[in-house]
Amino acid sequence: MSDLTKMSAAQLAKAIAAKEASAVEVATAHLDRIDAVDERVHAFLHVDREGALAAAADVDAGKRTGPLAGVPVAVKDVIATKGVPTTAASKILEGWRPPYDATIVERLRAAGTVMLGKTNMDEFAMGSSTEYSAYGPTNNPWDLGRIPGGSGGGSAAAVAAYEAPLAIGTDTGGSIRQPGAVTGTVGAKPTYGGTSRYGLIAFSSSLDTPGPCARTVEDAALLHSVIAGHDVRDSTSIPQPVPDVVGAARRGAGGDLSGVKLGVVKEFAGDGSEPGVLSAFHESLEALVKLGAEVVEVSCPHFQYALPAYYLIAPSEASSNLARFDGVRYGLRTGDDGSRSLEEVMSLTRDAGFGPEVKRRIILGTYALSSGYYDAYYGQAQKVRTLITRDFEAAWKSVDVLVSPTTPFVAFPFGSRTSDPYQMYLADLFTIPTNLYGGPAISVPCGLSEGLPVGFQVMAPTMADDRMYRVAAALESAVGTLTPPTLEATA
Amino acid sequence: MTTTALPTYEDAVSRYEPVIGLETHVELGTATKMFCGCRTDFGAEPNTQVCPVCLGLPGALPVANRAGIEATIRIGLALNCDIAEWCRMARKNYFYPDMPKNFQTSQYDEPLCVDGYVDVEVDGKQYRIGIERVHLEEDTGKSLHVGGATGRIHGATESLVDYNRAGIPLVEIVTKPVPGLGALAPEVAKAYVAELRDIIRSLGVSDVRMEQGSLRCDVNTSLNKPGEEWGTRTETKNVNSLRSVERAVRSEIIRQSGLLDEGTRIFQETRHFQETTGDTRPGRSKETATDYRYFPEPDLVPIAPDKAWVAELKAALPERPSSKRARLREEWGISATDMESVANAGAVELIEETIAAGASPAGARKWWMGELARRANETGVELAAVGATPAQVAALQKLVDEGKLNDKLARQVLEGVVAGEGDPAAVMNARGLGVVSDTGALTKAVDDAIAANPDIAAKVRDGKVAAAGALVGAVMKTTRGQADAKTVRDLILERLGAS
C-alpha cells in the first residue's frame, strides 16, 4: 500500500497543489489499491479508471482547479453521474447511464476532485448492512465476514480500505453515520436542505441527505463545504450561506471545548446497546469533559417513537418515488413478448427488478398511504415527527449539541439479522431522530469493542453544522483516529 | 340497455330534478412547464420539449414555476374565490405510461383557491354557479397507438408516448353541485363554460381552445324526484365543445330518467360523450374506486402567496367579460344578438382596438364581422390570426372616410393587407387602387363617354338628369372602378350644361 493512499484528503490536496505529487500519481495509487483489494471488499460497483485518469491529467495540466484539486472521491451509486453507470444497486437500473450529473457531482468536479467510481449500497438505499445490494454485499475491511453498515456500506468501506480518501454517501435514516461507525470512519449527515438532492435517486424525499465520508473530521468538513450550498434545482434546498464547517473542525482539533454543553439523551440509555459500545461512549464523554465540555442529561420523550414513525414515512415516500421504475422508459423490461398487457409487463418488470427489502417497503408504504389507513399510519407518523422536532428544539434551550452512540452494536456477521427485519431496523435506532428533525449529525470513531470500531454521534440544530464539526474534531483529537487492519495482513 | 323507448326531454324534466356539476381543466399558456424550464410550444416534434425533470428521470426534482402559481391565483380571484394563505402540492399516485413519474403532481385537500362563484345569464335570467375549488396540477404526456386501423390501443402493434405535454401547468376548476335549474340545466351548463372561457381568455393566461384541448370539460349529472335526496351522479368525460356540454347534459338526463322510470339503479360511473350521436357511453368499468394514495409532495416547498401580492393581482384584474360586453354594446349601439356573434367570433378585442386606433364603431365592426370573418372561416384560422391588425383596419376605414377608397376598392386593398403586402396606404399605392377624383384626369373619360352615348347625352341636356347614371356607369367601367362616382357625375352634368 503506497503512502499516497494513506494520506488524508487535506494532505493530498496540499501535496498536489505544491506539485509534490501529481494528480495522476494519486489517482493511479488509489486505482491500484482498488485493483488489489476490491475483489475482497467489493466497495465498488463501477470503477471509472479512464474518467479518473483523464480528470487527474486535467488537474496536472492546470485545466481543472479547486480546493480539492486532484483528490480522489468515490460516489454512492444512488447519485446520478453523467455517462457513468448509476444503478442504485438495483437490477431495475442495470447499465443505466444518466444523461446528467447530480448537482453535488457538478460541485465535486468544480472543486477539482477526481471521481474514481460508484460505490456499493443497499438497493435504493434501503437497508443497514449492504446485504440488500442486487450485486452482492460489501465486506467490512475490519473483518471481511461482517457487514460494513448500510446503506452506504460501499462508500464507508472504500474509505476504510484506503481505496479512496473521500466518498459521498446519502443519509435517510443513518446511512452515512451507521456505516461510518461500524467501519471506523467519519460520516456526516448535513442539515436537510443544506446539500442538494438534485440527481440523488430518491428513496424518501423528505429525509434523504447527501453527505461526506472520510477518515478524519477535517476531511469530512472539506468535502462537506464543497458539496453544500443552495441549489435552485432543489426546491427544498436552503437559500442560506454554508456554515464554516472547515474552520470549525480546525478550531475543534485544538481541543478546547470549554463552555460547550453536551446533552445526553435519557431515553437512549435503556435501549440495549452492547456493553462495549456503552463503555466506549462513556470514555469518550469523559475525554470531552476533560476538554472543558459540560454534560447534561436531556429528556427527549418522543425519540422512542422515531423508529416506527420512520418506518411509515420513509416507505410511504419510497412507494411513490419508486413508481417510476416500470420498464416503460428506461432500465429493465421483462415479459414484453407481445402477448402480455401493459399492466402485466410492468408487474413482471417490477417483480424481476426489485429485491426483497425494496418490495417489502413498497408494500408497506402503499398500505400506509391507502385511503382508510392514511390517518392511522402516515398522518400519525407525521404528527410524531412534529413532536420529535419539538423535542430537539426544547433540547437546544439547554444544550449546544446532543450526543449518543451512533449504533447500539458493532458490525454484525453477514446474515445474522436479515431473517428478522426488525432486528435490522434497530441498527438505525440512534440515527433516525435526526433525520425526522432535519438537523445535522456526525459519527466519529471513538474506540473499539471486541476489536471492532464504535461510533460516537454528535447532533446539532439545523444549519449549525459547524458546531457539530467542532465537537467531533475535539473528540478526534482526544481519542485519535482508528487504523483499520491492512487487508494485506488479513488476506 | 333497455328496449323500452326513452322518454322525451320534456317528460324527463317534468318528473325529475337534475343536479349538475362541472370540472373544467384549463391548460395554462406559460412559456415554460410547471416544474421545469422546458418550452410548451404547441405542435412541436414529439419529445423535443423534454428534460430529466419532466421525463421523471431518476434523481430529477421539480421546482415550481411562479408564473403558473400567479395565473392560478388570478383565475381564482376572477372567479371570486378565497386564496389560500398556505397550501401544498400533493402526489396523486397511479400507473400510466404517459405519466413519467407514475404520480401526478397535483393538489388534494389543500387547493390554492376555494369557494367562489360565476354568474351566468340564460334567457335574461341570472344564475349563480358556486365554485368549490381551483387548483393547480401538471398535465400528462400523450399516448399514440400505431399499427391498428382505429388508432386505438386495441389492435395496435406499438404504442408511442410523446412527453412534450407532460408537465404543462393545468388548472382544474370544480363547481359545487348546482341544483334547481330544472329544464334549463343544459343551457346553464353551456353558458357557464362559455363564461368561464371568456373570463380566462380575458386574463390572458390560456388560449382556452376546446378543440385543441387547452380547455377540457367533465360534466356530472344526477337526477332526483322532487323532494327526495340527490341521485347517484355519472361523470361524462371528454366534452370538447360548448354545444357538446349542452348535449351531454341533455342526453344524460334523458338516459337516466329512462332507467329511473324502470326502477333501475344509476351506477356511479365514468361515461364518454359521443360527438357523432350526441349521447354518452359507459367508460371502462372499475370494480373498486381507484385509490390515488394522495400525500403532500415532499419535493416541493409549500406555497404561501404573499398577501400584498394577491391584493396587487386582484386590483389588476381586467374588466369581467360579461360586463365589458354590456358596456361595449351600449357604446357601439348594437343589439344583444349582434354582440353575441361578435363575442363568438372572438372579435370583441379586435373591434375595440380598431376603434381605439381611430375607426368608427360601425366601420370597425363592418370589416371584422364581414370581410375578415369570412376569410377566417374560409381559411380555418382564428380571426386574430387572419393577417390584418386593428391598426390596419382602422387605417383602411380612414381611407374610405376620406374618399380615397370606395367600398369595392377597399376590399381589394384589404386582400393585399391580408396577403402581407403591407399597410393599406402602401397596398393602395402599389396596386394603383386609389380613387381618381382629379377632374383633369377624368374629363377625357367623361368626354369619351358623352361622345360614345349621344342619345343619353341628349336626354340629359334635355333635363332628364336621372339618365346621367348610365354615363357615370360607362366612365366607371373605363376607369376600372377607380373614379370617384360623385366627381364623375358632377363633371358630366357640368359638361352637358345640366348642373
Side-chain angles (χ1 to χ4, degrees):
Chain A
M1 175 160 52
S2 86
D3 284 332
L4 289 174
T5 58
K6 283 187 184 157
M7 286 163 74
S8 72
Q11 290 166 337
L12 285 170
K14 214 176 276 175
I16 294 165
K19 307 267 181 204
E20 291 160 20
S22 79
V24 169
E25 275 171 3
V26 171
T28 306
H30 286 91
L31 290 165
D32 289 350
R33 173 71 178 167
I34 293 169
D35 281 349
V37 303
D38 205 54
E39 203 178 321
R40 281 171 288 153
V41 178
H42 194 222
F44 284 86
L45 291 178
H46 178 82
V47 178
D48 186 18
R49 179 174 269 275
E50 268 179 44
L53 290 174
D58 282 349
V59 170
D60 289 336
K63 286 190 230 164
R64 294 178 70 238
T65 54
L68 288 175
V71 178
V73 60
V75 175
K76 192 176 179 182
D77 201 37
V78 75
I79 292 162
T81 43
K82 188 174 180 178
V84 177
T86 302
T87 67
S90 180
K91 289 282 178 209
I92 212 156
L93 272 176
E94 189 160 3
W96 185 63
R97 289 170 191 262
Y100 64 104
D101 271 333
T103 297
I104 55 173
V105 172
E106 285 180 354
R107 290 183 181 176
L108 287 175
R109 295 191 201 284
T113 64
V114 169
M115 215 261 303
L116 297 171
K118 306 300 288 292
T119 57
N120 200 9
M121 55 186 285
D122 283 302
E123 185 179 355
F124 284 107
M126 297 177 194
S128 305
S129 66
T130 315
E131 286 168 287
Y132 293 126
S133 167
Y135 304 101
T138 294
N139 303 315
N140 192 326
W142 287 77
D143 176 346
L144 296 174
R146 289 177 186 263
I147 61 108
S151 65
S155 288
V159 171
Y162 297 100
E163 294 172 280
L166 298 174
I168 297 290
T170 62
D171 194 311
T172 306
S175 292
I176 294 175
R177 290 163 286 158
Q178 183 259 5
V182 301
T183 59
T185 56
V186 178
K189 181 201 101 72
T191 296
Y192 176 83
T195 45
S196 169
R197 289 185 297 116
Y198 188 85
L200 161 62
I201 299 177
F203 159 18
S204 179
S205 306
S206 72
L207 300 164
D208 295 342
T209 313
C213 311
R215 287 190 297 266
T216 69
V217 174
E218 185 191 11
D219 279 6
L222 279 169
L223 186 52
H224 184 131
S225 70
V226 155
I227 60 170
H230 183 237
D231 178 14
V232 293
R233 292 184 294 186
D234 176 355
S235 147
T236 60
S237 161
I238 298 171
Q240 278 177 35
V242 183
D244 179 15
V245 291
V246 176
R250 288 178 182 154
R251 260 201 321 283
D256 179 15
L257 283 184
S258 39
V260 175
K261 284 186 183 169
L262 311 176
V264 175
V265 182
K266 195 172 85 182
E267 285 75 12
F268 278 166
D271 268 312
S273 295
E274 289 174 355
V277 168
L278 281 180
S279 60
F281 174 66
H282 288 298
E283 281 164 27
S284 302
L285 272 185
E286 282 167 29
L288 291 172
V289 168
K290 278 186 193 146
L291 298 178
E294 189 186 331
V295 176
V296 181
E297 192 180 64
V298 173
S299 174
C300 296
H302 301 96
F303 278 21
Q304 58 183 309
Y305 306 114
L307 197 68
Y310 173 87
Y311 277 100
L312 289 168
I313 292 168
S316 293
E317 293 183 4
S319 72
S320 174
N321 282 330
L322 268 59
R324 71 190 64 196
F325 302 102
D326 59 6
V328 171
R329 292 162 296 274
Y330 46 81
L332 183 75
R333 182 185 296 182
T334 301
D336 183 16
D337 60 5
S339 76
R340 293 188 173 90
S341 73
L342 171 72
E343 283 80 3
E344 285 169 323
V345 172
M346 279 190 190
S347 178
L348 286 167
T349 299
R350 291 167 66 82
D351 185 27
F354 289 137
E357 183 63 17
V358 171
K359 284 177 185 161
R360 186 149 49 228
R361 297 201 194 189
I362 289 173
I363 291 167
L364 185 63
T366 303
Y367 182 79
L369 287 177
S370 299
S371 63
Y373 299 102
Y374 182 94
D375 290 337
Y377 296 122
Y378 185 82
Q380 197 71 7
Q382 289 292 11
K383 286 178 193 162
V384 170
R385 187 175 187 171
T386 303
L387 294 174
I388 287 167
T389 299
R390 287 186 194 155
D391 280 357
F392 271 105
E393 280 162 2
W396 305 141
K397 292 194 174 117
S398 54
V399 299
D400 297 306
V401 294
L402 290 174
V403 295
S404 75
T406 309
T407 59
F409 34 75
V410 295
F412 47 84
F414 284 111
S416 61
R417 288 171 190 261
T418 40
S419 60
D420 184 349
Y422 183 70
Q423 283 302 309
M424 183 78 91
Y425 296 165
L426 288 177
D428 296 334
L429 192 63
F430 300 147
T431 51
I432 279 173
T434 293
N435 294 87
L436 292 173
Y437 158 59
I442 192 168
S443 175
V444 202
C446 69
L448 297 175
S449 167
E450 295 165 38
L452 292 166
V454 176
F456 184 94
Q457 179 176 228
V458 182
M459 298 168 263
T462 51
M463 290 309 274
D465 304 53
D466 46 353
R467 199 184 296 176
M468 132 196 133
Y469 275 103
R470 182 182 166 202
V471 175
L475 179 67
E476 183 182 69
S477 75
V479 305
T481 55
L482 297 179
T483 306
T486 64
L487 287 158
E488 284 81 351
T490 59
Chain B
M1 201 54 196
T2 172
T3 49
T4 52
L6 286 170
T8 65
Y9 179 72
E10 287 67 28
D11 267 1
V13 290
S14 70
R15 287 197 298 279
Y16 300 99
E17 292 180 348
V19 179
I20 57 167
L22 293 110
E23 293 168 24
T24 310
H25 283 95
V26 176
E27 219 178 59
L28 295 182
T30 49
T32 58
K33 294 186 181 181
M34 190 57 221
F35 300 115
C36 65
C38 285
R39 295 209 46 92
T40 56
D41 303 336
F42 183 78
E45 284 290 298
N47 296 312
T48 54
Q49 298 182 154
V50 294
C51 72
V53 174
C54 59
L55 285 177
L57 290 189
L61 291 175
V63 175
N65 180 348
R66 186 181 163 96
I69 294 170
E70 177 175 306
T72 310
I73 292 175
R74 292 183 67 219
I75 290 173
L77 290 170
L79 303 180
N80 307 294
C81 289
D82 296 331
I83 308 303
E85 285 178 25
W86 191 94
C87 69
R88 283 182 292 196
M89 303 302 295
R91 290 188 184 178
K92 181 181 184 179
N93 293 282
Y94 63 101
F95 283 84
Y96 208 72
D98 67 12
M99 204 167 54
K101 305 183 294 280
N102 285 321
F103 62 77
Q104 183 183 26
T105 306
S106 180
Q107 291 197 287
Y108 178 52
D109 52 353
E110 299 170 304
L112 194 45
C113 325
V114 293
D115 206 20
Y117 62 86
V118 175
D119 287 330
V120 299
E121 201 184 290
V122 173
D123 289 352
K125 216 182 142 203
Q126 288 253 321
Y127 295 88
R128 176 158 290 190
I129 312 294
I131 302 292
E132 174 106 31
R133 58 188 282 153
V134 176
H135 79 237
L136 182 57
E137 58 189 37
E138 59 177 341
D139 213 339
T140 61
K142 267 194 253 189
S143 298
L144 179 70
H145 307 290
V146 294
T150 58
R152 302 217 175 134
I153 194 163
H154 183 75
T157 54
E158 268 181 306
S159 293
L160 307 171
V161 200
D162 175 8
Y163 292 106
N164 281 352
R165 202 181 65 182
I168 290 184
L170 205 56
V171 165
E172 184 172 347
I173 300 151
V174 183
T175 70
K176 295 173 181 168
V178 191
L181 297 176
L184 278 179
E187 282 82 2
V188 175
K190 177 188 170 185
Y192 161 77
V193 178
E195 183 70 18
L196 194 61
R197 181 199 60 182
D198 291 346
I199 290 172
I200 291 166
R201 186 188 278 148
S202 78
L203 297 172
V205 295
S206 168
D207 55 11
V208 285
R209 291 188 193 167
M210 291 190 92
E211 73 285 357
Q212 283 186 1
S214 58
L215 188 148
R216 321 201 272 269
C217 203
D218 301 340
V219 184
N220 295 313
T221 315
S222 74
L223 294 185
N224 59 276
K225 285 202 168 141
E228 292 185 1
E229 287 200 355
W230 291 354
T232 305
R233 65 184 168 86
T234 61
E235 183 181 11
T236 305
K237 294 257 183 199
N238 305 338
V239 189
N240 61 4
S241 74
L242 287 179
R243 182 165 164 259
S244 299
V245 171
E246 186 180 349
R247 290 167 83 204
V249 175
R250 183 176 297 266
S251 75
E252 199 50 20
I253 288 173
I254 296 172
R255 188 188 70 86
Q256 288 186 17
S257 68
L259 291 173
L260 292 172
D261 284 346
E262 290 178 335
T264 308
R265 232 181 91 211
I266 307 290
F267 286 97
Q268 186 168 339
E269 63 180 351
T270 298
R271 299 183 67 85
H272 293 283
F273 183 71
Q274 311 292 309
E275 285 288 346
T276 45
T277 57
D279 59 9
T280 68
R281 300 273 162 81
R284 198 168 44 149
S285 69
K286 286 172 187 161
E287 283 180 16
T288 51
T290 312
D291 185 350
Y292 292 117
R293 304 189 312 282
Y294 282 100
F295 72 105
E297 165 59 276
D299 283 332
L300 287 166
V301 288
I303 303 169
D306 184 61
K307 270 188 184 170
W309 181 44
V310 173
E312 217 173 276
L313 293 176
K314 189 168 187 174
L317 283 181
E319 186 180 5
R320 190 170 301 277
S322 52
S323 41
K324 179 180 182 176
R325 280 201 300 275
R327 176 176 62 77
L328 291 178
R329 192 156 72 75
E330 190 95 341
E331 286 175 20
W332 299 352
I334 63 174
S335 71
T337 323
D338 282 351
M339 194 66 205
E340 197 176 324
S341 58
V342 166
N344 283 340
V348 176
E349 278 75 22
L350 296 168
I351 293 173
E352 219 190 339
E353 285 171 42
T354 307
I355 294 167
S360 65
R365 200 156 58 83
K366 178 179 111 182
W367 295 114
W368 285 111
M369 296 307 292
E371 195 65 13
L372 290 168
R374 186 183 57 75
R375 288 192 68 90
N377 268 337
E378 279 170 12
T379 49
V381 298
E382 296 273 315
L383 195 53
V386 80
T389 65
Q392 287 172 328
V393 174
L396 182 79
Q397 181 60 35
K398 192 164 173 247
L399 291 171
V400 174
D401 292 344
E402 289 169 355
K404 290 181 183 160
L405 287 175
N406 59 33
D407 206 63
K408 191 176 161 208
L409 292 170
R411 278 172 213 278
Q412 292 174 48
V413 170
L414 190 55
E415 195 180 280
V417 171
V418 167
E421 292 169 24
D423 285 337
V427 174
M428 179 179 81
N429 293 331
R431 289 194 177 191
L433 288 173
V435 167
V436 181
S437 50
D438 168 28
T439 45
L442 288 177
T443 306
K444 190 182 178 304
V446 166
D447 289 344
D448 288 351
I450 289 169
N453 300 283
D455 303 348
I456 299 169
K459 281 184 188 170
V460 177
R461 278 199 194 92
D462 290 349
K464 291 186 180 167
V465 177
L471 292 174
V472 174
V475 174
M476 292 308 278
K477 203 168 178 182
T478 55
T479 58
R480 300 201 324 274
Q482 277 177 264
D484 179 60
K486 189 173 178 303
T487 312
V488 171
R489 188 181 176 82
D490 289 349
L491 213 50
I492 289 168
L493 296 181
E494 186 197 307
R495 302 295 276 187
L496 296 177
S499 53

